[in-house]
Amino acid sequence: MPAIEVENLTKRYGARIAVDQISFSIEDGEIVGFLGPNGAGKTTTLRMLSCFQPATSGTARVAGYDVFSQSIGVREATGYLPESTPLYSEMRVFKYLWYRATLKGVPRRNRRGYIESAMARCDIGDVRERIIGHLSKGYRQRVGLADALVHRPSVLILDEPTSGLDPNQVRDVRDLIKEIAGETTVLFSTHTIPWVEQVCERVIIINQGRIVLDGTLSGMRKQIEPWARVEFRTSMDARPAMDAVRSVAPIFFVENLTVGDRTTLRYLTEKRNLEATRAQVQTVLASAGGAVENVNVVDAVVEDLFTKLTRGSEQIVGARR
Amino acid sequence: MSRLFALTKRELSAYFFAPVPWVLTFFFLLLTWYFFQWEMSQAYVQVTYAPVFMALDFILMFLVPLLTMNSVAEERSRNTLETLLTAPVHDWQVILSKWLGTFSFYVTMLVPTLVYWAILAYLGYDIHKPDAGPILTAYLGALFLGGLYIAIGIFASSLTENALMSAFLAFFILITMLSIGVLPFMRESAPSWMRDTAEYLSQNLHFAEFLKGRIDAYDVTYFVTLTAFFLFLAVRSLESRKWR
């Protein structure tokens, strides 16, 4: 039985469709990165799975329970970390976790042990008696994680677990997720691909409320093999140069990498038409009064696929597992 | 049960460790003391301190909205509502715990006023002893009245994430209820059914019965059902997040 099973899940806010008939399924013990730009519907989806908001239509089952009709069962089996890591800032860390463990139905005789192991996992033992409001962002995030873990749920749903953390803390969260892999199913949302590459294999990308990719990183790597990144400098201003480059048909997207006063652009295109495309770029820029300099061609990276899927108009459903 | 207890405990400790409830307690005692000393300064013989209680529905009308304004609104504005409602607790448990926690704090506010009883006994010893009956029923009435006000305050708090807005809303509901009981008297032309309904809905006449030393099932029913009704509305208002 899958740990999370979503079928045609839809959420409408009035006329606006936040999540549009998405379906996916996550096996027991799997770790899945849920990606998408801001406003793509990630938080809404996770809120529906954690029973905070009901779906407009469609069904979802978490740990075998229906999120609508068996919501208490879902909530008992799930650990959920909301996006902003809301905490009671006036409480002390241990007291807070004690309160949360009680709410989540951890029997009294196990409570202390469960809390101690959650605190050890999240490395917050040294702040156990501190007031939450006085803690740094990194510690607060880890208190939130410890709260999500404290009742030893079979499914963990983490909404942007690394937002606002410094690189060291991001690494800690990564190690934590890897550590609980296997025993727990983890679905986490993020908008940074490189981070996902370090944590898990399976990725679901959502854009404008729809799933645009559900696959593996190796599948994505295969998909980007025929693509190339072309980086170049030009004497033109960034904006007109980008508009000019965009008009070249085989280009997926253009990014502005300018640092300082020299315009640097990067575009993604297919390797097989590379020479023709480069020639075209040269032509359009020349007619706009600019020149192409310092050209550098490299292989595309997974992030390019993400950018292409979430920014470009063309949608690819593929990279099947 | 342990969940409801844990929720209530957190609610109560939030009151104990915040400054505002204590400032309100201070003003509460100051105001009741004012009415008590006014009563004591009168020339007639006193065996109760009824004016303190007669002022109570008015004092609480200002204090309770300020006490309850944060209860749900703050959870909303701090987003802790999301962690709270994704824990395996029912919405009614959340609301009931907020009521129980606030009510417990209200009882703590009320306890120091028992000093007035002691003062009364000391001042009037062996001439005229305090009359325990009406004092006790007045306290019982005060509990019912406070319980109702708190339920209204929590309901108002559940509607918004702005604490001041919720306080204003609760105050508005309370003053409306109080005034509908008064207004028809000014207009004797109102049909009797309208006057009866208005009088029934208004809290002060029911409360006044307790001050006379009477515990009438009619008045108890009024407070219990109306308190339950506003708590029910608060639960529905929490649930309404689901239909937006």
Side-chain angles (χ1 to χ4, degrees), chain A residues 225-240:
Chain A
E225 257 168 31
W227 298 350
R229 280 179 155 194
V230 183
E231 222 174 284
F232 69 91
R233 292 182 147 210
T234 177
S235 52
M236 285 175 70
D237 282 340
R239 198 173 284 266

Side-chain angles (χ1 to χ4, degrees), chain B residues 134-166:
Chain B
I135 296 181
L136 284 175
T137 56
Y139 271 107
L140 183 66
L143 292 181
F144 278 120
L145 187 75
L148 171 62
Y149 279 29
I150 290 165
I152 290 171
I154 288 171
F155 164 64
S157 187
S158 74
L159 292 175
T160 165
E161 62 177 71
N162 184 327
L164 275 179
M165 186 60 130
S166 99

Side-chain angles (χ1 to χ4, degrees), chain A residues 84 86-87, chain B residues 69-82 157 160-164:
Chain A
S84 52
L87 300 163
Chain B
M69 65 181 180
N70 276 325
S71 66
V72 185
E74 197 180 26
E75 302 254 16
R76 243 185 240 283
S77 63
R78 295 203 285 186
N79 290 327
T80 46
L81 201 61
E82 194 167 347
S157 187
T160 165
E161 62 177 71
N162 184 327
L164 275 179

